[in-house]
Amino acid sequence: MDTLNTIPAELDHLIITVPDLEAGVAAVEEATGVRAVPGGSHPGRGTANFLLGLAPTGWPEGAHTYLEILGPDPQQEKPADGTLPLDAHLATEPTLQTWAIHPPAFLAKVAAANTAGIDFGEVQDMARDTAEGDRLEWRLTTRSPLPHEGAQPFLIDWGESVHPAEAALPTLELLEFHVESPEPEAAQQVLEVLGAGDTTVVEGSDCRLRARLRGPGGILDF
């Protein structure tokens, strides 16, 4: 992977989807030497997550985002139609599925996306309880299937909740992150409207995300 170190300033988190949570967490630990911690479940949506902190290259010291490992919750029934949030039901292996940004003016960015004709889905309110029993509430843009196969980020606003990256999470370095698209100029224009215009976009045969994570046990590439 080429060195592309422009980590977008409004990156909220990256999401890996896995077909089995325990196996997915173990795979990330085997590659990096760091084990994710339980995040919580998404009641009524069929998923749960594990979290790792991310320290991005080029960000100020102490600034963090996080990695979400998302998969079917063994304590919940799957939704009747079999569809899981963020297309997690499609995962057959750990996959860097999509990403979130947190622009400071959430509703203004939603309005701008509407005006520009960007298909981001709809705004939904969500909530979950953390493993410690705290309540998190947020709103986000959501669409299924994911826009541009997940290469287009969704927008998130945590409101009054404490951001998950502020918890004492085991942490990996986020060395590189970029977007690939068959139409890089068009993809860059969309990112400008959404609030992530500082993201590196390169030409590729398909829409996808690329990232390089490093822990004490090794490097994990997506």
Side-chain angles (χ1 to χ4, degrees):
M1 184 183 295
D2 294 334
T3 302
L4 295 165
N5 285 333
T6 305
I7 312 297
E10 301 302 336
L11 173 64
D12 191 89
H13 62 286
L14 305 179
I15 298 174
I16 295 174
T17 53
V18 295
D20 179 274
L21 267 174
E22 184 60 33
V25 169
V28 172
E29 181 182 17
E30 182 178 1
T32 66
V34 180
R35 185 170 183 83
V37 298
S41 65
H42 304 110
R45 297 178 180 268
T47 52
N49 62 23
F50 280 69
L51 307 179
L52 284 167
L54 293 177
T57 295
W59 280 22
E61 186 176 354
H64 288 78
T65 178
Y66 71 100
L67 177 71
E68 176 179 3
I69 303 173
L70 179 74
D73 184 355
Q75 305 302 318
Q76 288 190 68
E77 295 290 334
K78 287 186 178 180
D81 63 0
T83 300
L84 297 176
L86 303 180
D87 297 346
H89 57 286
L90 301 177
T92 57
E93 61 182 0
T95 302
L96 182 55
Q97 184 82 327
T98 190
W99 57 304
I101 58 174
H102 53 235
F106 177 84
L107 291 179
K109 291 301 182 185
V110 168
N114 268 321
T115 299
I118 296 170
D119 184 5
F120 58 82
E122 60 182 6
V123 177
Q124 289 188 358
D125 294 324
M126 292 190 67
R128 70 172 172 85
D129 292 327
T130 68
E132 294 75 29
D134 297 320
R135 187 71 169 171
L136 293 180
E137 296 180 345
W138 65 96
R139 56 184 173 174
L140 51 71
T141 60
T142 180
R143 176 183 180 275
S144 184
L146 291 168
H148 297 278
E149 291 78 54
Q152 177 181 309
F154 63 93
L155 279 61
I156 192 166
D157 175 21
W158 291 97
E160 300 300 318
S161 292
V162 176
H163 192 278
E166 294 185 28
L169 298 172
T171 299
L172 300 173
E173 295 175 82
L174 175 57
L175 300 178
E176 300 171 19
F177 173 77
H178 69 270
V179 172
E180 290 185 1
S181 172
E183 300 179 339
E185 291 185 5
Q188 192 77 61
Q189 290 173 358
V190 169
L191 291 171
E192 289 281 357
V193 174
L194 294 178
D198 55 345
T199 307
T200 299
V201 181
V202 300
E203 186 170 1
S205 58
D206 300 297
C207 292
R208 64 174 300 167
L209 302 175
R210 294 283 193 177
R212 170 167 283 195
L213 313 175
R214 181 168 65 191
I219 288 178
L220 179 59
D221 285 323
F222 287 99

